[in-house]
Amino acid sequence: MEQIVETKDLTKTYNGFTAVDRLNLTIKEGEIFGFLGPNGAGKTTTLLMLLGLTEPSSGTVQVCGYNPTREPLKVKSIVGYLPEKVGFYEDLTARQNLSYTAELNNLPRREAAERISELLATVGLSQVADQEVSTFSRGMKQRLGIADIWVKKPKLAFLDEATSGIDPEGIDDVLKLVKSMGKKGITVVFCSHQLHQVQEICTRVGILAKGHLVAEGEIDRLGRRTIGGGRYRIEAQVAQLKPKLVDSIKEVKGVMEVQVSGNSLLISCDKDLRGQIAKTIVDSGSLLLGMKIEEYSLERIYKKYSKEA
Amino acid sequence: MYAVFRKEIADHLSSKRFGILFTLVLLAAMFATYVAVQNIRSVVTVDTEFVFLKIFTTSGETLPSFLSFLSLFIPMVGIALGFDAINSERASGNLSRLLSQPIYRDSLINGKFLAGLAILGIILASVIALVSGLGLRIVGVPPNSEEVLRLVAFVLLSIIYGAFWMALAVLFSVFFDRTATSMLASVALWIFFFFFVSMIAGAIADARVPIDQNSSVEMVTKNFEIEGMIGRISPCALYGEATSALLTPELGSLNMALMWISTLTGRMLTPLPFSQSLLLVWPQVVSIIALAAICFAVSYIRFMRREIRSI
């Protein structure tokens, strides 16, 4: 995969305060990248620099092969941005709002009209397409925001806290749309505090703290580095624990580590091996009382890096 | 920028605000025309050269002329078109979404300003055309070419004056986050320029050169000069002087003292040709253009230099 975003020592200082400090970030084409960090970590400032809306104090940035500071229009014509508090003209309908975006993107009127109808159907707003946006819920506005990004057929989309303030159903809708963006080949940078959402849809993450990128990579790899062991942790409660059971489980392909804690076995592995492990326990003559599986929690990874920062 | 301009024009034309403003100005204009038509006989003699222009300048005993009405309403229209130009976009969360589209940042402020200017032009040109038409029908005297030229200059000057108030309102909309604050600031400044500057100018002039009924012509002239000079810090005074000179060709000078003397002696000055009237009001016109340009330039620079996060 080619790099679609690359920053080198990117720095932004506002009135003596360094919001982003020597950021070296790489985002590959086609991935859904989770951009994490506490409030004030510099996520939005970074996005604004990537869009050419804010000039970096120092360092370099390349987005889709263009320098956003020198070629902002080229970048903005292929990059979509959904701000945290997305706003639309409340007295215009959803269709009229998108038509205006299409006009700003110089799309021919007929092509724009067809595309807007398709997009409104994609985001589930066909039935309210001709209603004023003032009647929309926040979730509907976020979906309209995603359609607004899609109007320009972007290569890259920045979604800044796209799910904040929406009800659970609305969140599901937005996450599905983000996934479908990814499937359609759009690279997505997804900024969020909702770590389980990031874990659900993102392939790689970057953690920003106090303007520094403290971690970047695939969630598995970060988890292994931070927490150790494999991606999954299986806890099996066993009665009549046989002495050879631990050795038998260790022989199961994919098992990385086995620990005994009272009647519980803590097994670290790369895949979901619950079936094989259960069979091994039963075959050994031990009694399996219960079993649960845990994946690396992004929350744990995030907390660790944030704390270190 | 054309897309922004088009959208803003469409927004203005379909807005309730435009409907209210247009109706208000139109009603005032009709009322003023009626007053002028009722009183025009008393100010026109067989020797009067510019009868048609009297429709715009004739007032009743207690009611003001069309020109006075317009002086009052133009700032209101200008302020109404500009006071929420930028801060309403910011408050609605539209600004960062708009600026992430492939347009230059200045396209937004330029498009909005030009659209406002176009609307101002539509309102003023159509109201003045309507009043002219109505006046023509009632008075029955068609305007001569010089009167037409003077009316065109009057329309242009009124648009420039409105542009100043709009630029001022846009400036406040860039500086203040709340639309209510920017509106209040614009209205406060209008009240200051419209009402207080002339009072302050009069008070200072009287303090420097006190005059009474027995004062010499020299003293009165000096007093009027001081008052006129201080009063000219107000764009309302500049517009008032310039429009008076354009619509009253007999006004051979903007010197208050000279006007006072001519009124006192009952002698009207010889009407000036259009080119001379234009020369007479040129400093006022340039001053209003400069004020509008300064206001717009400051708001432009501020808007362009502000970080998007704080925009």
Side-chain angles (χ1 to χ4, degrees), chain B residues 1-268:
Chain B
M1 189 179 74
Y2 179 64
V4 179
F5 175 78
R6 244 171 56 104
K7 194 243 168 215
E8 289 298 319
I9 288 274
D11 273 4
H12 282 310
L13 291 177
S14 60
S15 70
K16 287 173 191 155
R17 191 187 303 177
F18 177 80
I20 292 168
L21 283 174
F22 193 77
T23 311
L24 202 66
V25 176
L26 197 64
L27 280 176
M30 293 299 158
F31 192 65
T33 311
Y34 173 77
V35 171
V37 168
Q38 293 295 310
N39 294 281
I40 206 161
R41 284 178 202 284
S42 60
V43 290
V44 173
T45 63
V46 280
D47 300 329
T48 307
E49 276 190 58
F50 299 100
V51 179
F52 193 76
L53 293 180
K54 299 284 178 209
I55 298 166
F56 300 91
T57 53
T58 307
S59 56
E61 279 179 19
T62 52
L63 296 164
S65 64
F66 173 74
L67 186 58
S68 308
F69 264 121
L70 213 57
S71 313
L72 193 75
F73 281 115
I74 289 174
M76 274 175 64
V77 176
I79 290 170
L81 290 172
F83 79 94
D84 62 348
I86 301 298
N87 51 12
S88 67
E89 298 281 2
R90 188 190 304 144
S92 66
N94 255 315
L95 203 55
S96 48
R97 188 179 63 85
L98 280 182
L99 295 178
S100 70
Q101 306 304 334
I103 54 167
Y104 288 110
R105 195 191 285 200
D106 60 352
S107 302
L108 194 70
I109 193 164
N110 291 343
K112 278 177 175 281
F113 189 77
L114 286 178
L117 210 57
I119 292 295
L120 201 65
I122 290 170
I123 293 179
L124 292 173
S126 52
V127 165
I128 292 171
L130 271 168
V131 169
S132 301
L134 199 68
L136 182 65
R137 186 151 179 85
I138 298 170
V139 177
V141 181
N144 59 36
S145 56
E146 191 171 326
E147 282 176 312
V148 172
L149 274 176
R150 284 176 183 275
L151 277 178
V152 170
F154 171 56
V155 172
L156 290 176
L157 180 64
S158 300
I159 294 172
I160 293 168
Y161 181 55
F164 160 72
W165 285 105
M166 194 172 66
L168 188 76
V170 170
L171 176 73
F172 287 133
S173 87
V174 171
F175 273 87
F176 297 119
D177 289 344
R178 290 174 176 270
T179 52
T181 315
S182 56
M183 182 163 184
L184 202 65
S186 309
V187 171
L189 216 58
W190 171 60
I191 290 171
F192 174 75
F193 282 139
F194 199 82
F195 297 103
F196 292 117
V197 170
S198 58
M199 282 188 228
I200 293 168
I204 294 173
D206 287 344
R208 289 285 307 266
V209 187
I211 51 169
D212 54 29
Q213 284 184 332
N214 302 320
S215 299
S216 65
V217 172
E218 202 173 87
M219 293 278 277
V220 175
T221 309
K222 186 88 179 155
N223 179 293
F224 280 5
E225 266 176 13
I226 293 170
E227 189 179 342
M229 279 215 326
I230 297 169
R232 282 188 190 118
I233 63 163
S234 162
C236 306
L238 294 174
Y239 176 72
E241 285 181 355
T243 48
S244 299
L246 280 175
L247 296 180
T248 319
E250 297 83 12
L251 204 66
S253 167
L254 294 174
N255 188 317
M256 283 168 75
L258 208 59
M259 287 194 285
W260 174 73
I261 292 167
S262 66
T263 314
L264 208 67
T265 54
R267 280 186 305 167
M268 282 307 283

Side-chain angles (χ1 to χ4, degrees), chain A residues 33-49 51 53 80-87 138 142 145-146 149 157-166 174 178 181 188-194 197-198 208, chain B residues 96 308-309:
Chain A
F33 184 81
F35 203 32
L36 312 174
N39 288 334
K43 301 186 298 290
T44 303
T45 305
T46 305
L47 294 189
L48 294 176
M49 285 193 281
L51 264 168
L53 292 179
Y81 175 51
L82 181 65
E84 183 180 355
K85 288 176 189 160
V86 64
R138 182 149 163 79
Q142 291 298 94
I146 290 175
I149 286 179
F158 296 133
L159 310 182
D160 195 358
E161 304 290 350
T163 56
S164 70
I166 326 181
V174 171
V178 175
M181 282 178 118
V188 179
V189 177
F190 187 77
C191 285
S192 180
H193 290 300
Q194 308 298 322
Q197 292 171 9
V198 175
L208 207 60
Chain B
S96 48
I308 293 282
R309 293 203 75 159

